[in-house]
Amino acid sequence: TSPEIKKYLVGVILFEETLVQTDNEGNLFPKLLEEQGIVPGVKVDKGTIPLLGASGDLITQGLDGLAERLSIYKKQGARFTKWREVYEIGENNPTHLGIQANAETLARYAAICQDNGFIPIVEPEILMDGTHSIEQCEKITERVLHAVFHALHQHGVMLEYMLLKPNMVLPGKESGQPVIAKEVAERTLRVLRRAVPAAVPSINFLSGGQSSDDATKNLYAMNTDTGAKPWVLSFSFARALQQPALSIWKGEDRNKIAAQEAFTERLSANSAARDGKIE
């Protein structure tokens, strides 16, 4: 909650069960967040299942009853939502059906959320798992984003009132292909300029299995690129923010302060990278 952090809107994505959990004094987590000037959100998808007719592709569940659940989440303090679709690159994947079906699901989710007064985070993630090259990832990421924004348009989603949470363009973890931050930035921004309308206010990258340092370096490289960037390029990292702190904490009270300091350090480094600065 420092002045440097407060100049941006900060949100925390909670699980459904976390909305009703409390601290040791009985204060609900959403209320605690709001008192710190942090906007509480909620993950609303129900996980993935195999997509019939598209062997190897997955589809995310949770649209049934979503509107009814949203009315409950709003009373519990949530103000934005998140829904994740995943795409694995393989010899025949993702299929055309997989890309289209996942785009349609993301668009239906976003439309339902906006109709119920929520800001939807749209998260199409190309997984880092596998041996694919960075060139393949770039090609698939562009195809996926084109399909997603076509579907969002078809469903009347207001782009000014949504956020995009995509992957960065990266090679598969088992590919052995070396890359530097400059190349990741150039390829990722090329895809975004081709596929993401300027009306989208902010692109908040997921870390997707990258190391904490690599995710920060890649974000910094994108924000220092001299090409056109009509969106805010920010972060919505999980593991890349939390893992250093969790490794120190280990569930022990004696490690709490050191873990908090580690978390603050990662947050400060990524906030600086978002501003095109080095912490």
Side-chain angles (χ1 to χ4, degrees):
T1 58
S2 68
E4 290 76 17
I5 294 173
K6 273 195 168 182
K7 69 181 179 181
Y8 294 95
L9 191 62
V10 179
V12 171
I13 302 167
L14 303 173
F15 285 93
E16 182 181 76
E17 59 268 25
T18 318
L19 285 171
V20 294
Q21 290 177 348
T22 64
D23 66 4
N24 292 336
E25 284 71 48
N27 300 302
L28 286 167
F29 285 158
K31 182 175 182 294
L32 289 170
L33 292 171
E34 288 183 340
E35 289 173 352
Q36 295 294 320
I38 298 171
V39 182
V42 59
K43 172 186 177 292
V44 299
D45 68 70
K46 296 292 186 180
T48 59
I49 58 172
L51 177 61
L52 295 177
S55 179
D57 288 337
L58 301 171
I59 192 79
T60 303
Q61 305 178 93
L63 289 177
D64 290 345
L66 177 57
E68 291 77 11
R69 288 193 285 127
L70 289 173
S71 66
I72 297 172
Y73 300 151
K74 182 173 286 187
K75 293 175 183 176
Q76 293 171 337
R79 295 294 175 262
F80 69 92
T81 58
K82 189 202 79 138
W83 183 290
R84 175 177 178 251
E85 296 286 344
V86 296
Y87 309 78
E88 185 170 348
I89 299 178
E91 185 176 349
N92 300 304
N93 299 98
T95 64
H96 177 74
L97 174 59
I99 290 174
Q100 298 302 314
N102 279 280
E104 178 75 9
T105 300
L106 281 169
R108 290 178 62 196
Y109 141 77
I112 293 169
C113 289
Q114 287 190 346
D115 189 55
N116 285 272
F118 285 82
I119 298 291
I121 294 178
V122 173
E123 182 179 352
E125 179 182 4
I126 312 300
L127 298 175
M128 282 184 68
D129 302 330
T131 60
H132 58 272
S133 67
I134 193 170
E135 292 84 3
Q136 288 174 292
C137 183
E138 181 177 357
K139 180 180 178 180
I140 295 298
T141 301
E142 186 174 339
R143 285 178 59 198
V144 164
L145 289 177
H146 272 301
V148 167
F149 279 97
H150 178 71
L152 290 169
H153 174 73
Q154 292 292 99
H155 283 267
V157 174
M158 294 180 287
L159 302 186
E160 295 85 354
Y161 301 102
M162 61 156 280
L163 300 173
L164 179 66
K165 183 177 178 180
N167 56 281
M168 299 179 190
V169 174
L170 298 160
K173 287 187 290 187
E174 289 80 44
S175 70
Q177 182 179 13
V179 290
I180 59 173
K182 186 176 186 294
E183 181 180 8
V184 173
E186 288 175 349
R187 290 183 180 276
T188 302
L189 288 171
R190 181 161 56 221
V191 168
L192 297 178
R193 289 171 184 139
R194 290 174 175 176
V196 181
V200 175
S202 181
I203 297 174
N204 297 63
F205 292 98
L206 54 90
S207 51
Q210 299 179 76
S211 72
S212 297
D213 286 339
D214 285 347
T216 304
K217 289 175 182 176
N218 291 335
L219 179 63
Y220 171 78
M222 280 185 270
N223 276 301
T224 52
D225 183 277
T226 56
K229 300 184 288 289
W231 337 266
V232 172
L233 299 179
S234 191
F235 60 96
S236 181
F237 297 162
R239 190 182 313 167
L241 271 181
Q242 299 168 7
Q243 192 58 48
L246 291 172
S247 297
I248 292 170
W249 178 46
K250 299 177 182 177
E252 299 181 12
D253 285 344
R254 63 177 180 174
N255 298 328
K256 184 170 70 173
I257 300 300
Q260 289 173 339
E261 290 173 349
F263 183 80
T264 301
E265 180 181 341
R266 293 311 318 156
L267 183 60
S268 297
N270 284 295
S271 296
R274 176 198 52 204
D275 291 338
K277 301 175 183 177
I278 296 176
E279 179 70 18

